[in-house]
Amino acid sequence: MVVCLLTVVGAVTSPAANALTAQQPTKAAAPSNRIVNGTAANRDATPWFVMLRVSSGNQQYLCGGTAISTRWIVTAAHCVVGMSTRDRLSSRAIVNPVNLYTYPASAEVSLKQVVVHPAYRDELSSDDIAVVQTTKAMNTTPLPYSSADVTTPLGASLKVFGLGITRYGGSFPSSLQIGHIQDLAGTTGECGGYADRYDPTSMLCAGLPDGSVDACQGDSGGPLTGWAGRRTLVGVVSWGYGCAMAGYPGVYTRVSSFANWIQGQTGVAANSTPLGLNGPAEVRANRPCGTKSCSVKKKQTLSLYVKNLGDQPGSWSVRTTKLTSSKSSGVLAPNSSTKVKLRAANGKQACGKVKLQVSGAVVNAFKVKVNGGKC
């Protein structure tokens, strides 16, 4: 299966790891993963997402990863196994990129150390986990990883993130994708048609009952998260048959089963809070421009997209200065969004301000140059 942030639809293949070759962006030259039927993630809320550009011999592969500290990344073993010293020196970690090709030079970090779990077996896709140390601190807010003995209950709301292709044989997404899925096996159940190839003690089975959302090519090693008092890493994109196929969900490495090993290698402590079935509302909004201050002139509009990436309905409000908004407040259902149009209040030059508030707290704020005004 190919791993990604969106649901993936693809042809049946043999069980495989999920890395995507960087040299052939529309066709996987190696086992890979992607997200199918996902939505654009809010990058302000995913500082811990890492894209790994892995060199292996004469090829480069793309995988996902999760920063659990400013120096350590969790990824899939199949993404980094067998790397030589030369391969490691040629590989890079890119922290929270816009897409596969757009990121500041400061986001790129070299690799100091790669540690693959000693029990990893490619032919079984077992113990598919590794940790990577960077040569310098990453500019990130780390994501905690789970060590709960009983984790990901049946039906638990989960989210997978990735930059892989969004349909079999398709192209890469223009931004990081998020797939809203759920646990389909619990801690002891079966996983679709995989029979005894699926091991619930070290693997996690996640998707939707109809198979519509999945990870796929290019998403291997990426994060699967749940809610344990806070957003927490519970799985690593690993393998599957095809992409987004009913009866064959995505299979992820169960992070809690390897928590002691992760802490032993990295010194980073885990989150021991048990996972719940659902998390709270997570209302966010991306900035409507890529510059320090946005700009708008009379008769023009700026579009602010407010999204609820959480599991509960969430209320929001927008407060503006020197600007008018098409909507000032509302309640968003889980996994939904709304567009707010911002306009100049009049024809005068000014520095406008916009604040998105959730439950009274400001979650996004930015300035707008109105009619050429200075900010």
Side-chain angles (χ1 to χ4, degrees), residues 294 296 302 304 317-325 327-328 340-346 348-357 364-371 373-375:
C294 298
V296 67
L302 278 176
L304 178 69
S317 64
V318 170
R319 299 290 180 263
T320 62
T321 303
K322 307 298 183 180
L323 297 158
T324 63
S325 60
K327 301 175 184 178
S328 60
V340 178
K341 294 182 179 179
L342 304 173
R343 292 184 173 88
N346 51 50
K348 297 180 179 180
Q349 291 185 337
C351 179
K353 297 180 181 180
V354 180
K355 291 182 179 180
L356 174 69
Q357 294 180 308
N364 201 331
F366 56 93
K367 296 179 180 180
V368 179
K369 298 177 181 178
V370 180
N371 298 316
K374 295 181 179 181
C375 287

Side-chain angles (χ1 to χ4, degrees), residues 133-323:
Q133 186 182 30
T134 57
T135 54
K136 64 178 182 180
M138 296 176 283
N139 182 19
T140 182
T141 301
L143 187 71
Y145 66 95
S146 176
S147 66
D149 292 335
V150 179
T151 185
T152 55
L154 180 65
S157 176
L158 303 171
K159 295 175 175 58
V160 58
F161 298 80
L163 283 167
I165 55 179
T166 57
R167 62 182 177 86
Y168 190 77
S171 58
F172 292 113
S174 59
S175 63
L176 181 67
Q177 298 292 300
I178 175 175
H180 297 259
I181 55 179
Q182 64 189 56
D183 186 284
L184 296 178
T187 56
T188 59
E190 297 179 353
C191 185
Y194 295 129
D196 59 2
R197 183 178 178 88
Y198 172 74
D199 179 2
T201 65
S202 62
M203 300 175 185
L204 191 154
C205 177
L208 293 181
D210 64 359
S212 59
V213 178
D214 193 11
C216 200
Q217 291 167 331
D219 290 332
S220 286
L224 179 73
T225 71
W227 193 265
R230 50 183 169 165
R231 181 70 40 204
T232 299
L233 180 68
V234 299
V236 174
V237 177
S238 183
W239 65 277
Y241 287 156
C243 296
M245 292 178 56
Y248 292 93
V251 181
Y252 300 79
T253 304
R254 190 181 291 273
V255 168
S256 61
S257 299
F258 300 92
N260 289 339
W261 179 79
I262 294 172
Q263 182 168 352
Q265 298 298 322
T266 67
V268 179
N271 177 13
S272 61
T273 303
L275 260 73
L277 283 173
N278 295 288
E282 294 182 67
V283 179
R284 298 286 186 272
N286 290 323
R287 288 169 55 89
C289 66
T291 55
K292 184 177 181 180
S293 297
C294 298
S295 299
V296 67
K297 294 182 179 180
K298 189 177 180 180
K299 297 183 179 181
Q300 292 181 333
T301 61
L302 278 176
S303 294
L304 178 69
Y305 292 91
V306 183
K307 307 174 185 179
N308 182 6
L309 303 179
D311 303 322
Q312 304 293 334
S315 59
W316 61 273
S317 64
V318 170
R319 299 290 180 263
T320 62
T321 303
K322 307 298 183 180
L323 297 158

Side-chain angles (χ1 to χ4, degrees), residues 76-94:
H78 73 256
C79 287
V80 294
V81 68
M83 292 176 65
S84 66
T85 300
R86 180 180 178 182
D87 292 338
R88 175 177 56 76
L89 293 175
S90 301
S91 300
R92 296 291 185 271
I94 296 93

